[in-house]
């Protein structure tokens, strides 16, 4: 491989479009100047459709985890009980954040690799009427599971007065998201996934219902106080110094999403998922999740006759292809392929072809080209 040639196929950070890189390299401007106000005024309406909301989407400088913590700090009173649905490592992170603030956590664990059942959550809520907030993960990055957020929102609001807070970090911008219609009260994502930016921004959208709860919350907050961001954004400003270069890039990302069309963006991600899964089925290499539970943004593979880390090492050292490994108890057992953001079916074809070659190098007996052919055929079924 060439010394500086890398292929980033992890579920974040993801590749940055060249036009976004160019935009981020423009000269710096003052964060309290009119130029920044104009920039935010342009960004605000373009962010709303990505979230499926009429609310202004708050922009914080920080990672996605900062947005998750902000949701907890602002929406949960110190003496309230919450339910956290855990389908992987990032559901577990929500638990840790809540516990750090000494919140009474009801933890509902789902086997890693499976999506949560809305009916099971409805039953759990019926048995625990004290729960004031429900936390869920839209795409569980650690397993490649997409949880049924629309249906979960329905059962939460049908059975309780609880807020429904969603971690959308590894999928918003890559899959259909209808915050207002579905009934999500707080939705969080980060810049470095389907939003095609470097890490450093987190986005938080808040429903009117959630704002009423936040206004009454006595828990103190400073940098993560969402009311400050709401009030300043109304004036096209931020309460603290924003990441200006990332805002330049964000404007270009939103322009790209508009030009492609959000429905086309979602169809592209669905196609890349289908191609990837078809390839590994053709190679007879097990997938961690079912088709019904699989995310359009990341695929988890659980090999049963070769070591996942051996393959990942060859992919990185010989071909410059970066994939992700497993987390927590899945460490060493799975590998994950990100296909989100600035990624196309052509990238998937290249990735599968490289993986087939690497499998051959580690001694896995396969028919070279079989996985690539399956991905090609999947693409050709709709792209003729």
């Amino acid at each position: 491989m060439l010394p500086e040639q890398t292929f980033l196929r992890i579920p974040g950070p993801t590749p940055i479009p060249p036009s976004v890189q160019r935009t981020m390299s423009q000269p710096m401007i003052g964060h309290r100047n009119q130029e920044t106000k104009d920039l935010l005024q342009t960004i605000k309406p373009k962010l709303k459709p990505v979230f499926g909301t009429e609310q202004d989407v708050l922009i914080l400088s920080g990672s996605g985890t900062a947005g998750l913590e902000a949701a907890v700090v602002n929406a949960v009173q110190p003496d309230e009980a919450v339910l956290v649905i855990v389908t992987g490592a990032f559901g577990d992170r929500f638990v840790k954040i809540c516990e750090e603030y000494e919140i009474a956590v009801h933890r509902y664990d789902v086997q890693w690799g499976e999506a949560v059942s809305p009916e099971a959550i409805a039953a759990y809520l019926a048995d625990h009427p004290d729960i004031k907030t429900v936390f869920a993960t839209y795409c569980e990055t650690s397993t490649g599971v997409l949880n049924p957020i629309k249906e979960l929102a329905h059962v939460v609001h049908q059975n309780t007065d609880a807020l429904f807070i969603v971690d959308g970090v590894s999928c918003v911008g890559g899959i259909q998201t209808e915050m207002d219609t579905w009934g999500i009260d707080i939705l969080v994502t980060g810049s470095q996934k389907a939003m095609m930016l470097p890490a450093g921004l987190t986005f938080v959208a808040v429903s009117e219902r959630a704002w009423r709860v936040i206004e009454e919350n006595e828990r103190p907050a400073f940098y993560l106080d969402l009311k400050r961001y709401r009030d300043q954004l109304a004036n096209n400003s931020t309460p603290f110094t924003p990441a200006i270069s990332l805002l330049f890039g964000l404007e270009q990302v939103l322009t790209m999403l508009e030009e492609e069309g959000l429905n086309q963006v979602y169809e592209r991600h669905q196609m890349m998922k289908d191609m990837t899964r078809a390839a590994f089925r053709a190679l007879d290499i097990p997938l961690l999740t079912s088709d019904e539970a699989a995310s359009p943004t990341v695929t988890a593979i659980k090999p049963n006759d070769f070591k996942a880390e051996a393959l990942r090492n060859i992919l990185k050292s010989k071909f410059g292809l970066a994939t992700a490994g497993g987390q927590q108890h899945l460490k060493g057992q799975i590998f994950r392929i990100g296909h989100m953001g600035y990624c196309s079916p052509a990238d998937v074809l290249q990735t599968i072809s490289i993986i087939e070659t690497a499998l051959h190098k580690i001694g896995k007996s396969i028919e070279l080209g079989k996985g690539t052919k399956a991905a090609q055929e999947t693409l050709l079924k709709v792209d003729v």
Side-chain angles (χ1 to χ4, degrees), residues 121 129 159 216 219 291:
I121 297 304
N159 293 278
E216 297 175 358
R219 186 187 295 278
D291 287 347

Side-chain angles (χ1 to χ4, degrees), residues 100-169:
E100 193 70 25
Y101 286 93
E102 299 181 343
I103 294 167
V105 178
H106 293 261
R107 176 181 180 133
Y108 188 91
D109 281 285
V110 179
Q111 182 173 327
W112 287 33
E114 296 182 3
V116 67
S117 161
E119 293 76 18
I121 297 304
Y124 192 94
L125 291 170
D127 291 338
H128 299 84
D130 60 324
I131 289 171
K132 298 297 184 182
T133 306
V134 178
F135 294 91
T137 309
Y138 197 171
C139 170
E140 177 49 71
T141 323
S142 64
T143 60
V145 161
L146 192 73
N147 283 304
I149 292 300
K150 177 181 178 180
E151 292 78 8
L152 286 170
H154 177 72
V155 300
V156 168
H157 295 311
Q158 186 180 48
N159 293 278
T160 73
D161 293 324
L163 293 181
F164 186 47
I165 298 178
V166 175
D167 168 1
V169 171

Side-chain angles (χ1 to χ4, degrees), residues 176-199:
Q176 183 182 12
T177 306
E178 301 293 343
M179 175 178 167
D180 291 353
T181 302
W182 295 349
I184 299 171
D185 290 300
I186 300 180
L187 179 60
V188 179
T189 196
S191 56
Q192 77 278 17
K193 306 277 188 175
M195 295 299 288
M196 301 186 287
L197 288 163

Side-chain angles (χ1 to χ4, degrees), residues 274-275 278-282 369-379:
D274 292 344
M275 292 170 65
F280 283 98
R281 279 196 297 266
K370 191 173 183 180
T372 304
K373 180 183 178 183
Q376 291 170 327
E377 290 174 342
T378 301
L379 177 60

